[in-house]
Structure formats: C-alpha cells, structure tokens
C-alpha cells in the first residue's frame, strides 16, 4: 500500500471516530462538520480507486 492510500485510510478512520464522538456528545454542529469531511474523504478515495470498506459510522 502506498503512502497516499495509507494516509487517506488513516484520515478516514480518524474522521469516523471524531464523528462518532461528536454524535455521542450531542454536538450537532461538530457532527455536521465531521460528516462533511468524511464525505469529502470518501469521494477522494473513490476518485483514486481506494477501497474504503464498510462504514463504521
């Protein structure tokens, strides 16, 4: 796995974790921000053929 793919997958996992935490804490604004970031990362992954796998969020 190349550095781009590794970094992208790490960012996706971190963002999924941050989104889950925001939802658990009831922070709707932060959850929206994290969801938008996750959507962008998933779009980037798809554009570059990076398999993300099943979502945990």
């Amino acid at each position: 796995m190349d550095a781009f793919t590794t970094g992208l997958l790490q960012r996706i996992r971190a963002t999924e974790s941050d989104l889950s935490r925001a939802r658990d804490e009831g922070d709707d604004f932060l959850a929206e921000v994290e969801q938008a970031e996750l959507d962008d990362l998933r779009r980037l992954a798809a554009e570059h053929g990076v398999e993300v796998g099943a979502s945990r969020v």
Side-chain angles (χ1 to χ4, degrees):
M1 189 176 307
D2 64 16
F4 173 79
T5 301
T6 300
L8 183 57
L9 292 174
Q10 287 174 346
R11 288 181 60 197
I12 288 171
R13 283 191 298 272
T15 303
E16 287 174 336
S17 177
D18 293 345
L19 174 57
S20 181
R21 188 176 317 107
R23 286 178 175 167
D24 289 347
E25 293 174 358
D27 190 335
D28 294 334
F29 176 75
L30 183 56
E32 286 183 35
V33 169
E34 296 297 344
Q35 183 63 60
E37 176 71 9
L38 186 56
D39 293 343
D40 287 343
L41 291 168
R42 288 180 177 159
R43 177 191 49 76
L44 184 62
E47 287 175 359
H48 291 276
V50 175
E51 185 69 33
V52 175
S55 174
R56 294 178 291 182
V57 179

